[in-house]
Structures are given as C-alpha cells and as structure tokens.
Amino acid sequence: MSRYVQDLSKAMSQDGASQFQEVIRQELELSVKKELEKILTTAPSHEFEHTKKDLDGFRKLFHRFLQEKGPSVDWGKIQRPPEDSIQPYEKIKARGLPDNISSVLNKLVVVKLNGGLGTSMGCKGPKSLIGVRNENTFLDLTVQQIEHLNKTYNTDVPLVLMNSFNTDEDTKKILQKYNHCRVKIYTFNQSRYPRINKESLLPVAKDVSYSGENTEAWYPPGHDNLGATVDLYILNHLMNPPNGKPCEFVMEVTNKTRADVKGGTLTQYEGKLRLVEIAQVPRAHVDEFKSVSKFKIFNTNNLWISLAAVKRLQEQNAIDMEIIVNPKTLDGGLNVIQLETAVGAAIKSFENSLGINVPRSRFLPVKTTSDLLLVMSNLYSLNAGSLTMSEKREFPTVPLVKLGSSFTKVQDYLRRFESIPDMLELDHLTVSGDVTFGKNVSLKGTVIIIANHGDRIDIPPGAVLENKIVSGNLRILDH
C-alpha cells in the first residue's frame, strides 16, 4: 500500500482528522498534475491540443476518484426496478412496424465500439478484424447489416466507429474496401488515459508515445458487444412512444445465466433506474449481487440514446457516471489501476429511461476464444450480416463453453479444430490440455475432455460425444 493511501486510510479512521486527509489528497492531486504536465510537454505540436484535452479529462476523473471513497453504492438503497421500467421484448414487438419504416430509420445513427484489441486472444490488431464466417470479419458483418437496411428501405443510416489509439490506423486502412458499399462510415477516437501505479497512484507513462516501454502505459476506456444489431421494433417504440412521452435512454438487458454473474444489472436507486456494476458492490454483498434469483437480468451494452438529450445534458454538464476502478497487472508484473466509466451508467441522468428484456441472442460478447467458438458454430445462423440463434436450437440459452489455455490464442484455437463441431444440442463443454478435434465432430449434452500433462487427445473425425467425459491419452494415427 502506498504511503499516501496508508495515510489516507489512517486519517479516515480518526474523527476530526478530515483536515489532514484533505491535505494528503491535495498533495497527491498536485503530484499527478505535475506528472501530467511533464507528459504534455512531450506531445508533438500537431497532437498538443488533443493530448491536453485527454489529460484534462483524466485529471477530472482522478479528482473524482480521490473524492469518492469505497464502493459507490449504498447497498441498503438498492431496490428491484418497478415492473413497467423493464419491458419484455415480446410486448415491444407486438406493436408491429409502421408503414413508413424508412422515416424512422432516417433518424438513426449506429455507433459501434471498435477500440478493442484481440490481445487477450493473441491477435495483433483490432478485434473487429477477426474472421468469423466464410472469411467475413466482425466489421464485414456490421457493414453488411447496415447496407442491407439501406438497400431494403432506401435509407441512409450511417455507421460511426469509435476507435481507440490502438485500432485507429489499422481500421482506416481497412475501410477503403467498403468504398463501394451503400454505407457512409465515419470514425472518431476514444480518449487515451494513462494507467496509474497501484502503489504510488502516479501515471506509469513518462511521455505521450505508446510504443516501446510505454506500450502498456495507456488505455482506452471501453467495452463491446458484437451481437448488437438494429432492431426495427425497438426503434419504432422509441420514435413512436405508446404514451406519447419520449424515452431518452433504452438499455437492452437479457436474462442471466451462470456465465453472466458478473454482468452489470439494472436497479431502482433513489427513484431512478441505475446500472450497478460488480466493481461498485461492497464486498459483503458480492455473492448477493451475483445471485441469479435476486438480480435476474444484466446489461448487454446495446444502448439506444436520444442525441438531443445527450446534447442537452452535455451542455448542462449533467451526465453523471460512476468511476469503475479496474485493476490490471502489466506484462512486467507491475500492478496498475485504470479508471473507467461505463456508458450504461449514464442512464440515471436521462428522462423516462427504460430497460427492454431482449432474447439472449442479442448478446454476443467476444472476449475469448470460448466466445468465438460459439459465434462460429451452427448455434448461429447468418443472414444479411446478422448472427441470430439458429431455429434448430431447442432452448434459448447458449452452452457454457470453457476452453483451456492451449486454445487461448486465435491461431492455436483454429489449428485445433479441423472444422467447428456441431453444437446445436450442447449444454456444457470443458476442454483442457493438448486436445484436437477432427472434421464433423458432434457435441451434445455435457462434454468434458481433459488431456493430462504430457498426454494428447485427438477427437476423431465424425465422432459424436454425448454426455461424455474423455480423459487420458487418445491418439488417432493415419494408416
């Protein structure tokens, strides 16, 4: 624990010591201000204003971080949201569609977070450029979806990509291939904030570069959901509200499964809908937060937000988002924290907000190769760039898939599957160790495959594994 943090915590535990506590806080803020000023002097002239804006934004966030002590929610005030504040998707869909779909589509802008790198999966570029189906990348699918809408309804829905300093250059190169598509594509960059040393609470970065020693010194604050597609029923509900009262912010939520216990949930808090993330929950209540029975839904990160409302709140400086403190360990072993805000947390600043409980298939995060296996499999059908749950799947939830460390990197993962197995009837898959899959393998029920250290398991082509545990050593040799 750093000297500052120790002093701060001692001060907090002593009555009447708040003045001392304030002095320590000011001293730390001053140190961070000096460090940021030093970093700013290293910015080239053409990047100076942009860098200054980012560092000013970070300073405000850091100031708030020092003011807010401990988890940012009072657990006693958390209530279940009122019945009508989270609507079932079926009810929204039952309203049908208007005759003039193009008129509502012409008021839509699609923003996709494109700041994520596939580093956790061993990739060197933007995650959106990973191949999913028939050589199509996630970005290809997104462009196809929106082009399909524009062609079908003769509209001009634009696609805006929110890049990060990590993905901007690579993405711009790739966008040239969409020049002849019927989609106008725009890009802008997320903020670039410095990671801070967990001990000293000072920035790790020494200058503005993000190569060499500084590669891991910066971060873009953002998350993604690759299942986010334009839903015409939700759009119609927003443009033509049933009670005539415009809804400024809609969050798509979906039912929790065992795989989602950490996902942020919608609650009622001080009379408003509020997103609560696991990082904000007091330690004593984490198990309660993870309970599937108490908090049945979680945020998919598909958000519909009124631009007029964003402009109004921005001008009033009234968008209030809690700080999420995200601890990380850098490659060299240094413990750092990054200060983040989740866009869904802004829901409490908007009027007449709403949650819509959507089918699970609208939530497709791809953070690991286990997630990638699901979206590449026959669990999903591909139609005009949209991945939807296959009608042949008899239950609406996706299987729980846990691939071991031999599958972490995309290139290793692809090498271990001659073709993606049939997973339509799969409930649970765990694979650990040196395992490979032949062509046309079928997995059903619960399948657990464990190759012990030094052993190897080859699942033969055409094998059907149903409720099976396979362990030990299994080599199929060609004659």
Side-chain angles (χ1 to χ4, degrees), residues 26 54 69 86 217 237 455 472:
Q26 284 173 5
D54 276 351
K69 298 178 285 292
I86 298 180
H237 185 83
D455 289 343

Side-chain angles (χ1 to χ4, degrees), residues 305-375:
I305 309 174
S306 153
L307 282 173
V310 171
K311 185 170 187 286
R312 181 190 80 233
L313 290 168
Q314 192 67 22
E315 285 166 356
Q316 296 168 355
N317 198 19
I319 296 181
D320 177 24
M321 296 184 284
E322 296 81 29
I323 294 170
I324 295 168
V325 180
N326 192 352
K328 298 262 178 186
T329 303
L330 303 187
D331 283 349
L334 181 68
N335 289 325
V336 297
I337 53 177
Q338 49 191 53
L339 305 180
E340 301 177 0
T341 51
V343 63
I347 191 168
K348 66 176 188 290
S349 305
F350 289 79
E351 294 301 316
N352 200 21
S353 299
L354 181 68
I356 296 180
N357 192 341
V358 297
R360 172 76 195 195
S361 55
R362 285 188 65 72
F363 180 62
L364 280 178
V366 178
K367 294 188 173 164
T368 63
T369 50
S370 301
D371 298 330
L372 194 57
L373 181 63
L374 292 171
V375 298

Side-chain angles (χ1 to χ4, degrees), residues 190-367:
Q190 291 181 66
S191 305
R192 177 163 80 108
Y193 283 173
R195 288 180 166 137
I196 51 183
N197 184 314
K198 197 176 178 183
E199 295 296 317
S200 66
L201 294 182
L202 295 176
V204 178
K206 295 290 169 255
D207 56 52
V208 294
S209 71
Y210 40 94
S211 55
E213 284 181 15
N214 255 1
T215 309
E216 295 184 293
W218 302 90
Y219 69 97
H223 306 273
D224 59 349
N225 168 17
L226 295 154
T229 55
V230 175
D231 184 281
L232 296 174
Y233 297 101
I234 296 177
L235 180 63
N236 179 46
H237 185 83
L238 290 176
M239 294 304 178
N240 302 303
N243 56 4
K245 200 172 161 195
C247 175
E248 293 185 343
F249 194 115
V250 162
M251 177 183 290
E252 291 185 39
V253 295
T254 194
N255 292 341
K256 267 188 187 181
T257 67
R258 287 167 306 171
D260 317 303
V261 290
K262 293 182 178 176
T265 193
L266 270 187
T267 61
Q268 173 91 342
Y269 193 90
E270 296 179 337
K272 286 252 185 180
L273 270 187
R274 176 155 171 176
L275 177 69
V276 176
E277 301 276 359
I278 195 163
Q280 298 165 267
V281 176
R283 195 169 291 169
H285 296 282
V286 165
D287 286 344
E288 195 182 337
F289 174 82
K290 286 180 175 180
S291 143
V292 179
S293 54
K294 179 159 186 181
F295 297 106
K296 293 183 166 65
I297 50 110
F298 72 98
N299 170 23
T300 66
N301 260 336
N302 295 358
L303 305 169
W304 303 73
I305 309 174
S306 153
L307 282 173
V310 171
K311 185 170 187 286
R312 181 190 80 233
L313 290 168
Q314 192 67 22
E315 285 166 356
Q316 296 168 355
N317 198 19
I319 296 181
D320 177 24
M321 296 184 284
E322 296 81 29
I323 294 170
I324 295 168
V325 180
N326 192 352
K328 298 262 178 186
T329 303
L330 303 187
D331 283 349
L334 181 68
N335 289 325
V336 297
I337 53 177
Q338 49 191 53
L339 305 180
E340 301 177 0
T341 51
V343 63
I347 191 168
K348 66 176 188 290
S349 305
F350 289 79
E351 294 301 316
N352 200 21
S353 299
L354 181 68
I356 296 180
N357 192 341
V358 297
R360 172 76 195 195
S361 55
R362 285 188 65 72
F363 180 62
L364 280 178
V366 178
K367 294 188 173 164

